[in-house]
Amino acid sequence: MADMKVDELGVSVARGPSLMTGAVPTKDWQEVPAVFKPGNYCYPAKASMVEYHSKSLPGLFGEPREWDVESDDWKLPENWKEIIINGMKERLDKFRSFKIFMDCCVRCGACADKCHFFLGTGDPKNMPVLRAELLRSVYRNDFTKAGKILGKFAGAREMTFGVLKEWFMYFYQCTECRRCSVFCPYGIDTAEITMMARELLHLVGVGTNWILEPAANSNRTGNHLGLQPHTFKENAEYMLDDIEEVTGVRLKNLNFNRKGAEVLFVIPSADVFADPGIYTFMGYIMMFEHIGLDYTISTYASEGGNFGSFTNNELMKKLNGKMYAEAKRLGVKWILGGECGHMWRVLHQYMDTMNGPADFLEVPKSPITGTVFENAASTKMVHISEFTADLIRHGKLKLDPSRNDNRIVTFHDSCNPSRGMGMLEEPRYILKHVCNNFHEMPENTIRESTFCCGSGTGLNTGEIMELRMRGGLPRANAVKYVKDKHGVNMLSCVCAIDRATLLALMQYWNPNVGVCGISELVGNALIMDGEKERDQDLRFETLPGMEGDADV
Amino acid sequence: MKILYPFVAVIGLMLFAFLGVQVGMDSLFGIVIPYLAFLIFIGGFINKVVGWAKSPVPFRIPTTCGQGQSLPWIKQAKIDDPSTTLGVVQRMALEVLLFRSLFRNTQADVYDGPKLRYGSSKYLWLFALMFHYSFAVIVIRHMRLFTDPMPFFVPILEFFDGILQIGAPTLYQSDLVLLGALTLLFLRRIILANVRYISLPADYFPLFLIFAIASTGILMRYFVRVDVINIKQLAVGLASFSPVLADDIGSLFYIHIFLVSTLIAYIPFSKLMHMGGIFMSPTRNLANNSRMVRHINPWNDPSIKPHSYAGYEDDFRDVMAEAGLPLEKELPPEEPVAEEEQGKATETPAE
């Protein structure tokens, strides 16, 4: 847990010496070195993990070695600067976004106070513009005439170990949430810049274990948790018992790796593993049973989340490729995806380009409503919220929203589905049909302006808990607002990383606010065929009106 | 220092031109440098844009600022999250002409609690709009000097620009607005702690430079009269590649034209290239239709394949069999004992 207590941390956010509070640092930002202390950095990748990835993607992850972030010897290869500069050149030639974003920032500052890490830490280098300048200064020095001629006057500086340390610190204090990009007059997207910086860092073997190990697990076992096929299946099947206890209905159609199913359902694997994701999973499969969907879940492609996208393009592509490969092997017609964040950014923006064409699949058509998902005509992948909203619209779900009356719900737009694919209305439509108490958070903190949970992109790790609580502060604050105003006690979302990280965030800043996926609320509200009178929800909490003597 | 150096640089440029003309280098400042600057501008601009264009846009990465195209009954934000070219054109037009993204701007405050508050903040949008539009009007007005006969819209624009009819010669509002906007943008840069901290000398330099250009221009028009007939003769001459330099134009004019030359030559090498970059920004100029239409990445590497299902089954065949999961290849007759390894990440996964 975070070292600091809520009160302490709160005071330090509101009064600590930082740009956020008007306290201007006395030194120019280029003269402030990055200092690593326990708690402000993620642990480096184990040599075994680097070695593992290097086997299939040679040259992209640097030399496998054990190294210490706090030490001044990162055991870098002798020609590390050359590797970085060459890597930068290669990426400038491969990505127009990178080139343009290096050139046309005018430092107007519109992005400065849009970043949750800046708001929570007050550290000036967390202003998106300065985060980008960390890279841009080197770009100017090595790739622009102005930088070569005018040097410091044009904001150029040489690549040094100090710069590398800054990169490691601040590109792992960016969750690629893209909020700054909404406000930038040129659409400069810090996510792109962070992605490039992380690719460069990996080239010289500077990566974090909490990204490379889950990525290795995803590659080998199919999911980032490293659940082997039998465990994955057992975990999922445990939930059938719980569902039966709550509803009196034994689900029959949960199955795995089944050839010839109509739909392959891909989930974020955390949904079969951890609370509260498991309740979301129950919601999914209850709904599928309710509508009689012919689906299967794969243990081989049992992860939607793509930890490769936090390292480089190549690993992202490699991990993503499993979904199509498995859809082809199983001979399904189309793919349905669960509630996950980065999974959907990768699916929406990269999948078809990287691993398509998916010409062995059909344009998704809901077998229940007949709706053809034209917006997924090429990837052949539909988001569970799109699918569910369509079912509700066509009256195909029997729902009793009053079963969620113990929940006063607000909705967190997860960054990637909202700013990466533009899915804002579907979850809200579902919420309005499955619960009676729904309140939006303040306007500048939702939809395209939504705030990150503070721990995405592989930052969901215990060693940086204080940083995470700071980064999540803007989100927590907006929840606190509706908690105080409307008594909100449930924060719903459509992202598995959110379900993991928001839980810790709420426990810290807003105790008594729970976290759930949308599908959990759907599961609660569903009136299943042959069900008993329900007196508990999926969490075994007593339903309103069924309290008897018990207190809620 | 960040502010002083660029200030001194602009003063230096002015002195340089002034002294140069004093020692009789009129044709250098009046003809050679303007041509040179123009060439550098054109060449540099093209070079930069072509350089950008050479890098592909491998992936569709639009920033979606509203509901995307989805089910037919869900209202799409067609401009903020366009799925068609028409929508993209509208989005870009609003961006380029009205600075829509800046219009969204908010300002965050943190106060005890800690609590965060986000207020609307439109002044950067306003200052930027004032600056760019008055600058555009002034540039167009200058076409009076370079063209003979001048295009019909120039006098119309001049009429409206001087519609308040203050003073003689009539005061152009755009002159005042430009100076005002520059001052506001400069003040913003030094007063706001955030913006001051992120500012580089290269951010102050164009502000001072344009301020100096505007000031010399205004001085010439309203206070220190220069010979407009001769200036027009030179300008038309420059535009028709047969420049004629009269003797008595006045050094203020040379300072003005030298500063302008510096500015246009500086554009391609500086942040002022944002005027070109905005049109090519992949987060803004792409339709959000990546699930509808397949896009091609020219450097996509088809040899990168996922860890194969066969390899996966080889790794886990025994436990899969025991768990009753379907297999592609059945277990060999002599079944090895499956080791129970409960869901732990293995230290050294093997491919």
Side-chain angles (χ1 to χ4, degrees), chain A residues 10 14-15 19-20 24-25 27-29 46 48-49 52 56 92-97 99-101 103-110 113-114 119 124 127 130 146 153 178 181-187 189 192 213 217 219-221 226 228-231 233 256-257 259 299-300 313-314 317-318 321-322 329 344 348-350 352-354 356-357 373-379 381 386 389 393 418-419 421-422 424-426 429 444-445 448 451 474 477, chain B residues 2 5-6 47-48 51-53 55-71 73-74 81 95 101-102 104-112 114-116 118 124 188-189 193-198 200-203 205 269 271 274 277-278 280-284 288 290-297 299-302 304-309 312 315-316 319-320 323 325-326 328 341-351:
Chain A
R15 301 211 188 123
L19 270 183
M20 230 7 256
V24 186
K27 278 187 188 163
D28 190 51
W29 66 265
K46 292 177 195 154
S48 56
M49 292 303 142
Y52 177 72
S56 52
L92 287 165
D93 290 341
K94 281 163 90 175
F95 295 92
R96 187 182 302 166
S97 53
K99 236 184 204 174
I100 289 193
F101 296 163
D103 278 327
C104 68
C105 174
V106 300
R107 286 169 296 282
C108 70
D113 57 355
K114 305 303 177 284
L119 292 170
M127 291 191 269
L130 274 199
F153 184 84
R178 311 176 96 210
S181 169
V182 168
F183 298 91
C184 174
Y186 316 113
D189 181 4
E192 283 291 298
E213 185 158 334
N217 286 336
N219 192 54
R220 176 169 172 265
T221 65
Q228 297 189 10
H230 56 302
T231 317
K233 177 173 180 269
F256 299 89
N257 302 358
K259 285 192 176 175
T299 59
Y300 161 72
N313 258 281
E314 288 77 5
K317 174 179 156 86
K318 188 171 165 62
K322 277 191 175 180
R329 184 182 77 87
W344 274 100
H348 185 80
Q349 298 191 330
Y350 301 93
D352 202 9
T353 303
M354 289 187 306
F373 291 90
E374 297 291 351
N375 61 339
S378 188
T379 51
M381 274 202 73
E386 294 169 341
R393 177 78 174 185
S418 58
R419 273 188 295 264
M421 59 193 287
L424 308 174
E425 294 301 336
E426 290 88 338
Y429 182 82
N444 288 317
T445 71
E448 67 271 8
F451 272 111
N477 229 253
Chain B
K2 282 179 178 177
Y5 284 151
N47 186 40
K48 201 85 205 177
W52 287 335
S55 295
V57 180
F59 303 111
R60 290 250 141 178
I61 51 162
T63 305
T64 59
C65 295
Q67 172 65 40
Q69 184 179 348
S70 169
L71 297 158
W73 46 273
I74 289 178
D81 191 350
E95 203 60 72
S101 294
L102 282 182
R104 285 176 202 279
N105 201 17
T106 57
Q107 193 186 326
D109 289 312
V110 59
Y111 54 103
D112 280 358
K115 283 188 180 165
L116 292 160
Y118 314 92
L124 174 58
R188 179 180 174 275
R189 220 172 248 294
N194 287 348
V195 190
R196 184 169 71 240
Y197 199 65
I198 61 177
L200 296 172
D203 296 317
F205 178 67
F269 308 98
K271 68 171 195 175
H274 67 265
I278 186 169
M280 297 180 80
S281 177
T283 54
R284 290 286 187 269
N288 180 26
S290 40
R291 274 196 295 155
M292 267 172 266
V293 185
R294 180 164 146 80
H295 301 283
I296 304 299
N297 170 6
W299 47 262
N300 190 38
D301 180 357
I304 298 174
K305 295 252 191 280
H307 177 54
S308 70
Y309 176 81
Y312 171 81
D315 268 3
F316 300 113
V319 289
M320 287 175 80
L325 287 164
E328 294 275 341
E341 241 192 287
Q342 283 290 345
K344 277 270 180 264
T346 351
E347 278 286 306
T348 45
E351 189 159 21

Side-chain angles (χ1 to χ4, degrees), chain A residues 4 24 47 67 115 145 201 287 371 373 400 412 437 441 455 458 471 481 505 523 532 535:
Chain A
M4 277 176 141
V24 186
W67 57 286
C115 173
K145 286 190 188 67
L201 287 169
M287 186 179 83
T371 300
F373 291 90
D400 176 3
H412 162 62
N437 310 303
M441 284 183 271
S455 322
Y481 180 83
L505 192 71
K532 65 174 190 185
D535 49 15

Side-chain angles (χ1 to χ4, degrees), chain B residues 31-199:
Chain B
I31 299 170
V32 180
I33 290 181
Y35 272 135
L36 202 64
F38 197 67
L39 279 177
I40 295 175
F41 171 72
I42 296 287
F45 200 95
I46 291 174
N47 186 40
K48 201 85 205 177
V49 172
V50 169
W52 287 335
K54 266 194 200 151
S55 295
V57 180
F59 303 111
R60 290 250 141 178
I61 51 162
T63 305
T64 59
C65 295
Q67 172 65 40
Q69 184 179 348
S70 169
L71 297 158
W73 46 273
I74 289 178
K75 193 168 177 280
Q76 181 195 358
K78 290 199 168 157
I79 294 174
D80 285 326
D81 191 350
S83 52
T84 61
T85 309
L86 177 68
V88 169
V89 170
Q90 289 174 299
R91 180 184 202 179
M92 288 303 290
L94 284 174
E95 203 60 72
V96 173
L97 298 174
L98 295 175
F99 305 171
R100 188 179 175 85
S101 294
L102 282 182
F103 191 72
R104 285 176 202 279
N105 201 17
T106 57
Q107 193 186 326
D109 289 312
V110 59
Y111 54 103
D112 280 358
K115 283 188 180 165
L116 292 160
R117 180 176 49 196
Y118 314 92
S120 168
S121 169
K122 303 235 185 294
Y123 54 90
L124 174 58
W125 169 79
L126 183 70
F127 299 168
L129 216 59
M130 283 164 62
F131 169 75
H132 284 86
Y133 271 96
S134 57
F135 198 96
V137 167
I138 291 168
V139 169
I140 296 170
R141 269 207 279 107
H142 275 68
M143 284 178 71
R144 156 187 284 281
L145 298 171
F146 289 93
T147 49
D148 194 16
M150 69 180 111
F152 72 95
F153 54 83
V154 177
I156 300 174
L157 188 74
E158 282 178 346
F159 171 76
F160 283 104
D161 199 1
I163 202 158
L164 293 181
Q165 297 197 339
I166 301 167
T170 314
L171 180 77
Y172 289 128
Q173 285 106 72
S174 54
D175 290 349
L176 274 190
V177 175
L178 181 72
L179 281 185
L182 279 166
T183 310
L184 292 168
L185 287 169
F186 174 72
L187 288 177
R188 179 180 174 275
R189 220 172 248 294
I190 56 169
I191 290 173
L192 292 186
N194 287 348
V195 190
R196 184 169 71 240
Y197 199 65
I198 61 177
S199 294

Side-chain angles (χ1 to χ4, degrees), chain A residues 143-365:
Chain A
F143 297 94
T144 70
K145 286 190 188 67
K148 280 177 185 157
I149 298 166
L150 297 169
K152 225 181 147 185
F153 184 84
R157 63 172 176 171
E158 242 178 272
M159 185 73 210
T160 60
F161 181 57
V163 172
L164 189 76
K165 283 166 98 174
E166 276 185 334
W167 286 11
F168 182 74
M169 177 166 272
Y170 292 100
F171 291 115
Y172 287 94
Q173 283 187 33
C174 168
T175 44
E176 302 176 4
C177 82
R178 311 176 96 210
R179 187 169 190 266
C180 48
S181 169
V182 168
F183 298 91
C184 174
Y186 316 113
I188 295 174
D189 181 4
T190 307
E192 283 291 298
I193 293 167
T194 294
M195 285 165 110
M196 294 303 128
R198 289 189 179 189
E199 291 206 358
L200 296 175
L201 287 169
H202 281 105
L203 286 181
V204 292
V206 177
T208 68
N209 203 57
W210 214 82
I211 291 173
L212 288 194
E213 185 158 334
N217 286 336
S218 299
N219 192 54
R220 176 169 172 265
T221 65
N223 56 75
H224 86 269
L225 297 159
L227 303 177
Q228 297 189 10
H230 56 302
T231 317
F232 185 87
K233 177 173 180 269
E234 280 160 17
N235 273 9
E237 283 173 347
Y238 281 140
M239 286 172 232
L240 296 179
D241 299 337
D242 286 1
I243 293 170
E244 188 173 7
E245 198 177 330
V246 171
T247 66
V249 178
R250 182 82 193 173
L251 304 192
K252 297 201 175 51
N253 68 352
L254 177 65
N255 61 81
F256 299 89
N257 302 358
R258 176 168 62 93
K259 285 192 176 175
E262 182 170 0
V263 175
L264 169 63
F265 182 49
V266 180
I267 56 163
S269 65
D271 282 357
V272 297
F273 183 73
D275 179 346
I278 51 170
Y279 309 117
T280 309
F281 183 79
M282 293 182 195
Y284 302 144
I285 59 176
M286 285 165 70
M287 186 179 83
F288 296 158
E289 182 99 6
H290 182 73
I291 59 174
L293 185 71
D294 177 14
Y295 77 103
T296 194
I297 296 175
S298 165
T299 59
Y300 161 72
S302 50
E303 178 66 74
N306 191 322
F307 281 75
S309 67
F310 313 147
T311 62
N312 54 40
N313 258 281
E314 288 77 5
L315 187 53
M316 163 163 66
K317 174 179 156 86
K318 188 171 165 62
L319 296 184
N320 172 265
K322 277 191 175 180
M323 288 185 222
Y324 278 154
E326 186 67 342
K328 197 169 188 175
R329 184 182 77 87
L330 296 176
V332 299
K333 287 186 182 161
W334 54 278
I335 312 172
L336 187 59
E339 297 181 11
C340 190
H342 291 98
M343 161 183 176
W344 274 100
R345 171 130 198 251
V346 174
L347 281 174
H348 185 80
Q349 298 191 330
Y350 301 93
M351 183 174 191
D352 202 9
T353 303
M354 289 187 306
N355 290 307
D359 43 14
F360 49 91
L361 296 171
E362 293 174 12
V363 176
K365 180 178 170 184

Side-chain angles (χ1 to χ4, degrees), chain A residues 124-141:
Chain A
K125 284 176 198 168
N126 276 326
M127 291 191 269
V129 44
L130 274 199
R131 200 188 308 282
E133 288 288 318
L134 301 180
L135 203 59
R136 217 177 258 138
S137 51
V138 175
Y139 165 77
R140 288 199 201 99
N141 193 61

